[in-house]
Amino acid sequence: MEGKGEVLYKIMPWNPRLLDGLGQMQPAGPLYNIDCFEGSISQLILPHCEIFSEDNKDSLAVAHISGDNVETLQPLKVNSTHVFINITEFSLFGLIKNIIRLVKNIIYPDVQSQVLLFVRPLSVKRKEKILDVHLLPVNVPVSEVQSQHKENVYIKTTSVCHLIPGRQYSLCFQPEGFEVQPQGQMFECNFGPNYHPTFEVFLHVNTEEFKMGVLDKTEAKEVWMTRRVILTASSPKTDTADLKVVTEFVDNHREALVARVLSVMPIADCLKDKHMIPPEMYNEIDDARPRQTKMRLLFKVLDSGGPAVKAEFYRQLKDKESFLVDDLESGC
């Protein structure tokens, strides 16, 4: 940043046709739509998932997309985790890679990847647990996947592994016998904006712990070594015992929240989806300017809704702006 300002971004779908005129280039990371208010950005640092070698160290670039025009930006610097570029205007930016430089014997190299686990909520009619397993490149933000599966419980685990695009993978378990669909699936570098489960695992309703790994079906070896998976993680909903603490956080930091919360409308959208904001009040918040006025109107909803609505606001704020919650809770 050249000065103080607001930066907002969202992940957009890649249109493969946009890269048709760039030779053998393909997406290598999410496509970001970036806007900046009350300030300016001079440099972007984008995460990548490549494992570098002499063959692919110069393969990465950045696509700058404005309308139907695509410009290739060469990085200022590339390290083991990020790509650095200077920018002078906003729109769409996304990492791309030259697959001619990557291909050897028509085999793609490994990419840094992640295994993300989510448990779906139980229902009265369904008497089994369903575990969703996502295989994704490591530069896909976990928060983006969580935001599409808010009703599910995210199971934290050591998720990092190396996978090869185009290769078939399957799951293995101890004890054996769990139903999985599909039994094998090809790994693709999915950079969004939609993140569907790679596998569904059907478990007995009383299952609380088991061991799971990911197998490379071509080489018959584990690429995500078998480890314990514990399903007794806490629900994303705030426990009753914590309502008082959460309510005090929202009430005590009212002034700071009005000044600093950036994701007012995304939070309002989530509250509206849960029927916690009346339609007329939602429209009033949406029409208000500037952002601080939106937040003051949202506080009217929180005050009238009571502890349950404030708890949901806190959960959404923790999900979307965890750095702000951490700052306020630490006294910054």
Side-chain angles (χ1 to χ4, degrees), residues 61-302:
V62 176
H64 175 215
I65 301 171
S66 181
D68 292 329
N69 297 319
V70 183
E71 176 188 10
T72 301
L73 305 178
Q74 294 304 316
L76 293 173
K77 181 176 70 171
V78 179
N79 62 23
S80 60
T81 58
H82 290 84
V83 172
F84 299 71
I85 58 167
N86 285 340
I87 65 170
T88 57
E89 58 180 310
F90 307 114
S91 58
L92 301 177
F93 294 90
L95 281 178
I96 54 178
K97 60 183 175 183
N98 189 332
I99 62 174
I100 288 181
R101 294 179 180 176
L102 298 183
V103 174
K104 264 197 169 184
N105 299 323
I106 322 297
I107 297 176
Y108 288 103
D110 299 13
V111 297
Q112 297 181 70
S113 306
Q114 57 186 336
V115 180
L116 302 181
L117 308 178
F118 292 84
V119 176
R120 299 185 200 175
L122 288 170
S123 65
V124 174
K125 294 182 178 180
R126 195 177 71 237
K127 300 301 182 181
E128 58 188 349
K129 292 178 180 176
I130 299 179
L131 176 70
D132 290 338
V133 181
H134 298 254
L135 304 185
L136 291 166
V138 77
N139 56 342
V140 169
V142 175
S143 59
E144 293 290 332
V145 186
Q146 286 181 287
S147 69
Q148 292 188 17
H149 303 279
K150 295 174 184 175
E151 72 281 6
N152 299 343
V153 177
Y154 172 49
I155 305 298
K156 291 185 178 181
T157 185
T158 47
S159 63
V160 177
C161 62
H162 294 173
L163 302 176
I164 299 176
R167 186 165 287 189
Q168 290 276 335
Y169 293 92
S170 62
L171 304 181
C172 60
F173 296 92
Q174 297 176 10
E176 299 178 353
F178 295 131
E179 180 184 352
V180 182
Q181 60 181 31
Q183 294 185 353
Q185 184 65 41
M186 183 174 67
F187 173 66
E188 298 179 354
C189 283
N190 174 20
F191 297 110
N194 297 316
Y195 303 105
H196 302 296
T198 309
F199 299 99
E200 294 176 301
V201 184
F202 298 89
L203 308 167
H204 188 273
V205 67
N206 294 323
T207 302
E208 294 186 353
E209 181 178 333
F210 57 91
K211 291 184 178 181
M212 187 182 83
V214 176
L215 288 173
D216 181 326
K217 296 189 72 175
T218 302
E219 298 186 3
K221 70 174 184 179
E222 285 188 286
V223 292
W224 191 64
M225 302 303 291
T226 298
R227 66 204 66 200
R228 294 173 64 195
V229 176
I230 300 175
L231 300 182
T232 53
S234 61
S235 165
K237 296 185 181 297
T238 306
D239 293 335
T240 303
D242 295 330
L243 283 177
K244 181 178 179 182
V245 174
V246 169
T247 301
E248 287 178 353
F249 172 90
V250 175
D251 292 339
N252 294 343
H253 296 99
R254 180 180 299 252
E255 183 177 344
L257 292 171
V258 168
R260 297 176 63 183
V261 172
L262 303 178
S263 307
V264 182
M265 288 314 300
I267 292 174
D269 289 339
C270 294
L271 295 179
K272 179 174 178 287
D273 290 343
K274 295 179 180 295
H275 307 291
M276 293 180 171
I277 296 182
E280 59 274 14
M281 178 57 79
Y282 175 86
N283 292 335
E284 189 175 348
I285 295 171
D286 192 30
D287 292 339
R289 298 290 186 277
R291 172 175 50 79
Q292 289 79 3
T293 302
K294 291 178 182 286
M295 192 61 211
R296 291 189 182 95
L297 290 171
L298 183 57
F299 256 107
K300 290 185 178 181
V301 175
L302 302 182

